[in-house]
Amino acid sequence: MEHYSCMVDLYARSGYLDDAWEFIKSMPVDPDIDVLGSLLSACRIYKRIDLAEFISMRIFEKKPEDPGYYVLLSNIYAAVGRWADVKKVRAMIKDKGLMKKPGNSWVQVGQCIHSFLAKDKTYTEHGMLQDILRILSLEMREEGYIPDLISLAEDDNIHEHIN
């Protein structure tokens, strides 16, 4: 199944989302969540709402208790400004009682590896890590990187803050 997932990821990252879907349909076995999730992730990048809705429904049938794919679908809607759909998906998450686990990050500074949870300001080196991340962010922007802030949507009114 990992090989199928890799093939879908290769197609999808290259922008060949329809070919990735055809590949999935031609599989001799039922695709697992990782295979479908690879394609769903690419739908966000390429703003393929039609395919994202179809794939997400298949994922929700297979694994309705996983909040990560609901969040991904919400972010796909947010990326194209479909705020009513964002709200609807977030309501689904709440109605189902799903909770997304906070992301865990690792950063190496010199010879020391720092591990912390997303939004955890109690970490002892939080201030120092924030300073380093600000510097890295500035350097990336100087090189032309434009962050996708829409994916950071945490509240229902995020579009008012971004637009």
Side-chain angles (χ1 to χ4, degrees):
M1 198 57 69
E2 287 179 33
H3 291 113
Y4 290 124
S5 186
C6 288
M7 286 301 299
V8 169
D9 191 52
L10 286 170
Y11 276 126
R13 285 179 187 253
S14 300
Y16 298 107
L17 278 67
D18 293 320
D19 292 331
W21 175 239
E22 290 301 319
F23 179 81
I24 290 171
K25 290 192 316 189
S26 73
M27 289 172 50
V29 294
D30 196 34
D32 73 2
I33 298 299
D34 293 332
V35 172
L36 296 171
S38 291
L39 184 52
L40 185 60
S41 293
C43 288
R44 180 177 166 270
I45 296 165
Y46 292 99
K47 295 179 173 56
R48 285 289 306 274
I49 301 299
D50 58 331
L51 193 54
E53 291 174 332
F54 181 75
I55 296 295
S56 64
M57 291 307 125
R58 299 242 350 232
I59 290 172
F60 299 158
E61 288 170 6
K62 289 177 176 281
K63 200 167 184 182
E65 74 283 358
D66 187 340
Y69 293 108
Y70 291 91
V71 171
L72 179 55
L73 180 60
S74 174
N75 289 342
I76 291 169
Y77 285 137
V80 295
R82 287 180 51 176
W83 303 110
D85 289 319
V86 169
K87 194 171 187 175
K88 186 170 28 171
V89 173
R90 290 190 183 160
M92 287 172 54
I93 294 170
K94 186 175 181 180
D95 292 345
K96 293 176 182 289
L98 303 176
M99 298 268 295
K100 187 170 184 310
K101 295 177 185 170
N104 195 7
S105 297
W106 294 268
V107 176
Q108 181 173 347
V109 179
Q111 298 298 317
C112 186
I113 296 175
H114 301 269
S115 177
F116 53 94
L117 295 176
K119 298 185 181 180
D120 179 12
K121 295 185 170 124
T122 63
Y123 181 67
T124 56
E125 301 292 335
H126 180 264
M128 183 261 309
L129 291 176
Q130 287 297 311
D131 291 342
I132 290 171
L133 290 173
R134 269 190 222 94
I135 292 167
L136 288 173
S137 179
L138 288 172
E139 289 178 6
M140 291 167 53
R141 286 176 191 225
E142 287 173 4
E143 294 294 324
Y145 174 74
I146 301 170
D148 181 7
L149 299 176
I150 204 78
S151 65
L152 298 176
E154 287 295 326
D155 61 72
D156 292 331
N157 298 318
I158 191 70
H159 61 281
E160 293 172 9
H161 303 294
I162 294 172
N163 290 337

